Amino acid sequence: MSSQLFTPLTIKDVTLDNRIVVSPMGQYAGDGQGNATDWHLMHLGNLAVSAAGLVIVEASAVEARGRVSRFDLGLWTDKNAEALEPVLGFCRKHGNCKWGIQLAHGGRKGGVSVAWEGQLPLSSEEGGWPIVSPSAIPYPGRAMPVALDADGLREIRNAFVAAAERAHWLGFDLLEIHNAHGYLLHSFLTPFANQRQDTYGGDLENRMRFPLEVFSAVRDVWPESKPLGVRLSVTDWAEGGWTTEDSVVFARRLRDLGCDYVTASSGGATPDQQISIGPGYQIPLGEAIKREVDIVTMGVGLITEPKHAEEIIANGRVDLVALGRGMLFNPRWAWHAAFELGGQVSIARPYERSHPAMQSGDFLKPKLD
Ligand SMILES: Cc1cc2nc3c(=O)[nH]c(=O)nc-3n(C[C@H](O)[C@H](O)[C@H](O)COP(=O)(O)O)c2cc1C
């Protein structure tokens, strides 16, 4: 039987060649003003020939204070978009992947040093900035955020819209809103960060209000023909936090507003989370969403073995599998998976001879597949 991992998937007018996605991964390699650098050319250029169906560019801040580190990528100025344009052009010239980008706001987890320097709060002398959140409740070990008022909420909603317009100008095929990992939009959902007394806090309906408003505003400007998705922390993995049942309600509301897919991630709202980590540990969360809500679902988290990815897709547990660290470790993962599972991928002509079927053969054989 042929591989299901290597079957195409069409979402709106965009067809992905296979079910393999490169998960968004912050590189902390911007220039300090949200602009892409030559690191991005190398990093994304490498992934452009990965043969993944979709590459989602890292969390990109919608405003400067929405960065997690100083060196996050951003889309808050036209200059940011102009810096990314040649990178994307280069990637498209040399590869066949579809391209998405993730829009993000770090909220109360922003303003810290880069990952390999421990994500410690930055003082103003170190280039730090005031951070914002639904309520003035710090994430443990981080700076005290300022609670957003009505003007602040409007500003951030508008910043998501402007960044989405820039993503469209850049020609991205797909857009993802980062609503996970304890960052701003997830902070509205979770009682750990949201203790507001107004219509944006309190019961589930109120806590969903701002993320849903942002989603709707972005949907209004992002073309109907192109997929718009949301990454969720499906559960906070902690007593008193956001739950899988809440995520089912939220995903249904998102779908009704025109959301085309959700990615089932988890955690990030509290250091007290209790997660049991192992291969595919978040797939049951994706299954729970897919079972209850009629929406395309992406699974992610420690999927490293081709046969495991194949089992997940073949059994319809989720519709797409995203790989993060596994792709950094082996950017040709999809080639190897295709070889192992009998799937077809498009290999750039200059690299064709690397394929095991051609290593002992004649270089002038017809193109594989
Ligand atoms: C270096 C690195 C950067 C990441 N940056 C992001 C990001 O920008 N946005 C996001 O939603 N998740 C981010 N993540 C999480 C990954 O997308 C992914 O969900 C997670 O690593 C689990 O998948 P994996 O086990 O295949 O790595 C990052 C992970 C890593 C390792």
Side-chain angles (χ1 to χ4, degrees):
M1 214 176 83
S2 61
S3 165
Q4 298 302 300
L5 186 63
F6 288 91
T7 52
L9 179 70
T10 299
I11 317 176
K12 291 282 175 64
D13 287 357
V14 175
T15 298
L16 311 180
D17 284 351
N18 56 55
R19 308 304 183 91
I20 302 165
V21 178
V22 180
S23 205
M25 280 178 288
Q27 297 297 293
Y28 311 107
D31 70 348
Q33 306 297 324
N35 296 317
T37 64
D38 53 5
W39 176 265
H40 294 95
L41 194 63
M42 186 284 296
H43 165 65
L44 297 172
N46 196 12
L47 294 168
V49 292
S50 67
L54 172 69
V55 182
I56 305 182
V57 174
E58 67 195 80
S60 300
V62 299
E63 58 171 17
R65 69 180 167 169
R67 286 171 297 168
V68 175
S69 85
R70 281 176 57 209
F71 301 103
D72 286 14
L73 208 57
L75 268 187
W76 71 86
T77 65
D78 290 347
K79 194 156 177 285
N80 296 155
E82 284 157 18
L84 198 51
E85 189 187 20
V87 177
L88 193 62
F90 173 79
C91 291
R92 287 207 188 277
K93 180 173 170 200
H94 295 293
N96 291 327
C97 305
K98 295 292 189 304
W99 289 87
I101 188 165
Q102 189 185 55
L103 299 185
H105 193 299
R108 70 176 188 155
K109 289 177 87 177
V112 294
S113 58
V114 297
W116 50 87
E117 287 172 4
Q119 298 203 302
L120 302 172
L122 297 172
S123 63
S124 48
E125 295 75 45
E126 292 167 320
W129 57 89
I131 54 175
V132 294
S133 196
S135 304
I137 304 171
Y139 183 86
R142 305 276 171 102
M144 174 63 83
V146 173
L148 285 158
D149 61 14
D151 285 344
L153 293 179
R154 196 171 320 108
E155 245 173 68
I156 289 174
R157 194 170 49 234
N158 292 344
F160 269 96
V161 167
E165 286 173 330
R166 292 188 184 101
H168 177 49
W169 177 83
L170 279 161
F172 277 102
D173 302 297
L174 168 149
L175 191 65
E176 180 169 289
I177 298 177
H178 199 342
N179 212 128
H181 304 168
Y183 298 123
L184 185 73
L185 296 177
H186 178 194
S187 291
F188 274 85
L189 300 176
T190 177
F192 292 131
N194 184 348
Q195 290 293 325
R196 293 175 76 98
Q197 304 295 319
D198 63 2
T199 54
Y200 292 99
D203 64 14
L204 177 63
E205 193 61 33
N206 279 1
R207 282 180 284 119
M208 291 192 303
R209 193 179 307 282
F210 187 62
L212 291 174
E213 281 179 6
V214 168
F215 179 86
S216 285
V218 170
R219 183 74 273 183
D220 283 348
V221 297
W222 184 251
E224 204 36 57
S225 58
K226 292 194 201 186
L228 174 61
V230 173
R231 176 171 277 222
L232 295 181
S233 274
V234 174
T235 170
D236 285 343
W237 300 113
E239 185 98 27
W242 180 255
T243 66
T244 304
E245 292 70 41
D246 295 336
S247 283
V248 166
V249 176
F250 186 51
R252 206 172 276 131
R253 294 290 293 279
L254 285 167
R255 183 209 51 200
D256 294 347
L257 291 171
C259 182
D260 298 304
Y261 77 92
V262 293
T263 303
S265 189
S266 69
T270 167
D272 297 330
Q273 60 191 19
Q274 298 292 326
I275 313 184
S276 138
I277 291 185
Y281 67 102
Q282 294 175 140
I283 294 298
L285 305 177
E287 284 178 289
I289 302 279
K290 195 171 154 57
R291 201 168 40 241
E292 299 290 333
V293 188
D294 183 19
I295 191 163
V296 171
T297 304
M298 192 185 301
V300 66
L302 284 181
I303 301 161
T304 54
E305 298 303 317
K307 285 194 179 73
H308 182 206
E310 176 68 22
E311 179 273 319
I312 291 169
I313 298 298
N315 288 318
R317 298 174 68 191
V318 291
D319 304 288
L320 292 158
V321 286
L323 279 79
R325 291 161 293 183
M327 277 290 176
L328 298 183
F329 195 64
N330 175 11
R332 306 281 181 270
W333 188 92
W335 301 15
H336 296 275
F339 184 62
E340 187 175 327
L341 301 170
Q344 296 291 331
V345 286
S346 160
I347 294 181
R349 302 295 316 238
Y351 282 3
E352 264 177 12
R353 285 173 76 188
S354 69
H355 193 281
M358 290 187 77
Q359 281 176 15
S360 57
D362 176 359
F363 181 53
L364 296 176
K365 270 184 179 171
K367 196 172 181 309
L368 296 165
D369 75 0

